Every structure is written in structure tokens, then in C-alpha cells.
Amino acid sequence: MVQMAVSPLPQWFEGSEYTHKVAVCVMKYGPISRITLAQILGLSQGAVSRITSDLIYAGVIEETPMPSGKAGKLPKGFVQKENTERRGRPQMGLRIIKNARSFVGMKINATHISAVAVNAIGQIITGCHDLEIEDTSPQTVVTLIKQLTIDCSDEAEMAGWPKPCAVGISLGGYVVDNAVVTFAPFMHWSQPVELSAMVREATGLPTGIYNDIDSLVVDACLFGSGVGLDSFAVLTFGAGVGYSLTVNGELVSCPDKSYGLVGHILVDPDGPRCVSGHKGCAQCLSDNSIAAEYSQIIGHPASFDDFARDARANKPQATNLVNRTCFRLGTMVATIANLAMPDKIMIAGESSFIAKFGIDDLRNGINMYRHSQAAPVDFEIPDHDWALWAKAAAAQAIRQYVG
């Protein structure tokens, strides 16, 4: 008999599987009418009325007037059946009560931790608090997390929001059961770290630990541009190269997905070798590889920051490497589009600004490896902000909390 893992976060409310499905549906698509809810979930209107009444009583959702044309997003391809309610009757929508709960979200980087507080619909309600990591030992990291939790909690409460009920933390690496970190290359932890339990003991708050790329894609599918899409992918590059995918709003799960495997896909047969000896793999999109390649081009040692400065200044050698990097990135995007066939791809990460400098070469790289009659690849490049990565960790906690 397989034993199910116990979630480190409690459930916001008790109820059936469909009660939690209704709450998640309201969170994603609200304000939304009961009729539309019933059609999306395949439930009777009577069942939806009973469930939503329970959720209203529990203080999870509320009714709100829904003027014509003001509804939230709906699932891709969803065709709403004609409303049979009496004409002239005011349409009421349902939405999550945004001030019902607050959460703290954090992103652990190699050199610092960023933290924000968010409300129940994933909106940031505090400033972004940052603390530098001078010692990566788990105990020291937890001490920083405790201080950031206090800082975010105090600011949220001072602004009139409820005290945070849970913490979501993301980092690059592999996490078991949203609780135990078994692989964190930027932290250099030599053995599994029970980070969820350690943070809960330090802060008194239930804590979920998540992969950072997974958190970005969950946030997008719950609160952002991925809402309602059949499939959504995130590709990140910076210190490393990362990738995650959702189908119908749910993460595609694979035991090996957090080990950076996407970083070793071929993107340029003439590209540089990675530390594993692969020639032209996607590791050439990482900061260290770009810095090494730029150093070779200009004939003396240069850091990634030197390259970024010269790229912004439109120096020819830096611009050439920008264009080459963006073509390689386009090759990677085309590979994802061809194999996973997502509706949309988010290109993110601390070095994603490069993609905006060479957008034409990015498109050329995509088109080179797409059939001429295939649909254009829909992609977006949001501005990089560590606060948004911290918010994404909170979104993971909210998703788990709502069930």
C-alpha cells in the first residue's frame, strides 16, 4: 500500500474534493457566476449553490455584482451556454475574499533571500525585503528566513492585513514532499535538509518548500498569463537554465525534473562546451558561459556584468554575442514548442533582459526550427524582479492551502 505524503500546509477549509475544486476555480476565474462554475466543472447548479454557500459561510468567497463584460478569464475553448435566468435579474459573481488571509513568499538565491507578503489572491501587499546570505549553512539560512518573516508580517499587519497564515519558500533544486531539500546546488548543502520543519519551528508558521521554476509556472496558471490555458511552459536562464510545464493548470511531475536536465539540450553545434563536456548545449545560455565566451571574444577576462554593461552600451562585440545568444535561445524555445506544444512560453530569469535586446534573432532562432505553416510561438518576457519570484513561492503555498 502506497502511503500518501502529508502536506506541510493545512487546508484552509474542510470539504469534499469538489468543494476545493470550486474554490480553486473561483480563484482562477473570479469574478465568476454560479452557472459558469457549474458548466466548467460539470456539476449541477444545485450542487454548485450548496458548495458556494458553504464557502461563503466559511469566509473564503464572497458575492459581488458582475456588470456585463467584467467577468474574469475563462478556460481556453470554453463555450458558455446561454444563461436561462430571468432577463433583467442582476448577475452576481463569486470571488475569493482577498483580505481573508495573507501569506509570506520567499525566493532563496545564491547570495540573498527576497521576501514579500501577498493577499489571498496572490497580490503583493508589502515591499520586497532582502537579506544577504553570508553563510549558506541551513541554520543560518533559517535565521534569515525568520527575520524576513517577521519583517513581512509586521508590515502587512501595520497596513491592516491579517497576520500571515503560512510561508512559501522557493529555491533552485529538488524538494521532496514540499518539505525536504535533497539537492540545492547554489546552497552547497551536502545532505538532505528538512527545511519546512526547521522554518516552522523558527517562525511558528506552516511552511511549504518548492522548486523555484515550478513556482513561477504555478503562479502564472493561478493568477497570471497562464490562467485558462491548456498548457503553459516557463524557460529561465541566468545562473542556470530551468524549465517547467503545466497541463490543464497542473504541474507535469517527473522525479528528475529539478536537476537542470533542460540545460544540456543541444542549441548550437558550434557553441562552447559545458563542464560536462557537451558542445553547444543550453548551458551556453548561463551567465558563466556567456562571460567566458565574451572574455574569449574581447581577448581578456570579463565578468557577466561587464558583458551586460557593454550590451546595454551597444558595443559591437557584446551586441554580436547578444544576437548569437538570442538565436540559441530561440532554438531552445522552438524545441520546447515542438515537443511540449504549450499554448504559451514564459521566458524569465535574471538574464532574460538579453532576450529583449535581440528579439529579432530570438524569433529567427524559433522560425529556423519551426515548420513554416506551424502556428507562431506565443511567448512573453516579463521584466525580471525578485519580488515576483518571492510572490510565486507564496502562490504555491496558496494553491496547496486552498487544496
Side-chain angles (χ1 to χ4, degrees):
M1 178 176 170
V2 178
Q3 187 173 7
M4 297 296 289
V6 177
S7 170
L9 267 62
Q11 294 282 277
W12 184 352
F13 50 86
E14 294 183 359
S16 68
E17 176 187 354
Y18 280 103
T19 302
H20 292 279
K21 284 185 176 181
V22 166
V24 172
C25 203
V26 172
M27 183 167 281
K28 291 169 67 173
Y29 304 120
I32 184 172
S33 71
R34 289 173 174 82
I35 292 174
T36 306
L37 264 176
Q39 292 174 10
I40 290 174
L41 295 172
L43 297 173
S44 69
Q45 292 187 31
V48 167
S49 292
R50 288 191 297 274
I51 290 172
T52 54
S53 294
D54 290 342
L55 289 171
I56 290 172
Y57 180 77
V60 178
I61 65 175
E62 63 184 354
E63 285 191 318
T64 181
M66 206 166 75
S68 177
K70 295 294 183 181
K73 293 182 179 180
L74 292 173
K76 179 184 176 183
F78 175 77
V79 178
Q80 193 166 1
K81 296 176 183 176
E82 186 177 352
N83 189 344
T84 57
E85 289 189 353
R86 188 174 72 250
R87 289 180 179 270
R89 184 174 180 178
Q91 181 84 346
M92 298 299 291
L94 298 166
R95 65 184 179 190
I96 297 291
I97 302 174
K98 66 180 181 180
N99 63 353
R101 295 288 188 277
S102 75
F103 301 77
V104 174
M106 296 188 200
K107 168 68 168 82
I108 301 178
N109 296 289
T111 58
H112 68 282
I113 306 176
S114 301
V116 298
V118 307
N119 61 21
I121 56 173
Q123 296 170 332
I124 297 175
I125 57 175
T126 64
C128 185
H129 298 259
D130 286 274
L131 287 177
E132 185 177 352
I133 301 175
E134 297 179 351
D135 173 7
T136 61
S137 68
Q139 293 77 13
T140 302
V141 170
V142 170
T143 299
L144 297 177
I145 290 171
K146 178 180 179 180
Q147 185 58 55
L148 288 167
T149 302
I150 293 171
D151 293 344
C152 289
S153 181
D154 287 349
E155 184 179 345
E157 289 186 85
M158 285 284 289
W161 294 93
K163 178 180 174 62
C165 64
V167 179
I169 298 173
S170 75
L171 77 170
Y174 192 83
V175 184
V176 176
D177 297 335
N178 301 327
V180 181
V181 180
T182 61
F183 174 69
F186 301 117
M187 291 290 98
H188 308 291
W189 292 338
S190 59
Q191 57 188 12
V193 175
E194 296 189 9
L195 193 57
S196 173
M198 292 174 69
V199 174
R200 178 161 192 159
E201 182 177 355
T203 65
L205 293 175
T207 302
I209 315 298
Y210 313 99
N211 175 268
D212 52 0
I213 315 300
D214 285 351
S215 297
L216 281 182
V217 76
V218 166
D219 182 47
C221 291
L222 195 58
F223 301 118
S225 57
V227 171
L229 298 183
D230 293 335
S231 181
F232 187 89
V234 170
L235 171 65
T236 66
F237 67 108
V241 182
Y243 167 72
S244 190
L245 176 72
T246 60
V247 174
N248 296 323
E250 298 295 328
L251 280 168
V252 173
S253 180
C254 170
D256 297 327
K257 66 178 294 187
S258 299
Y259 295 123
L261 303 181
V262 73
H264 297 286
I265 291 176
L266 179 66
V267 296
D268 182 357
D270 298 320
R273 291 190 185 275
C274 74
V275 294
S276 298
H278 308 140
K279 186 173 177 58
C281 73
Q283 284 299 319
C284 65
L285 301 173
S286 67
D287 291 356
N288 286 343
S289 181
I290 291 173
E293 195 168 1
Y294 190 54
S295 298
Q296 188 174 19
I297 290 171
I298 62 178
H300 60 80
S303 67
F304 179 81
D305 289 340
D306 294 331
F307 161 74
R309 181 197 62 230
D310 291 351
R312 291 186 172 97
N314 295 315
K315 291 192 175 182
Q317 290 167 309
T319 298
N320 287 340
L321 184 53
V322 164
N323 295 339
R324 191 182 310 164
T325 298
C326 287
F327 188 90
R328 293 165 173 167
L329 178 64
T331 301
M332 188 73 207
V333 170
T335 301
I336 292 170
N338 293 345
L339 295 176
M341 295 178 281
D343 291 321
K344 191 168 190 176
I345 300 173
M346 176 191 289
I347 301 171
E350 62 267 39
S351 301
S352 59
F353 67 91
I354 297 172
K356 295 183 179 182
F357 290 165
I359 197 74
D360 289 340
D361 284 275
L362 170 61
R363 295 186 188 281
N364 289 339
I366 295 172
N367 294 336
M368 177 66 73
Y369 296 96
R370 292 279 286 176
H371 192 281
S372 61
Q373 294 181 13
V377 176
D378 186 7
F379 65 87
E380 63 176 333
I381 312 170
D383 292 337
H384 174 68
D385 185 348
W386 288 125
L388 298 181
W389 286 69
K391 158 186 153 56
Q396 280 267 53
I398 293 171
R399 179 66 180 85
Q400 203 173 346
Y401 193 70
V402 174

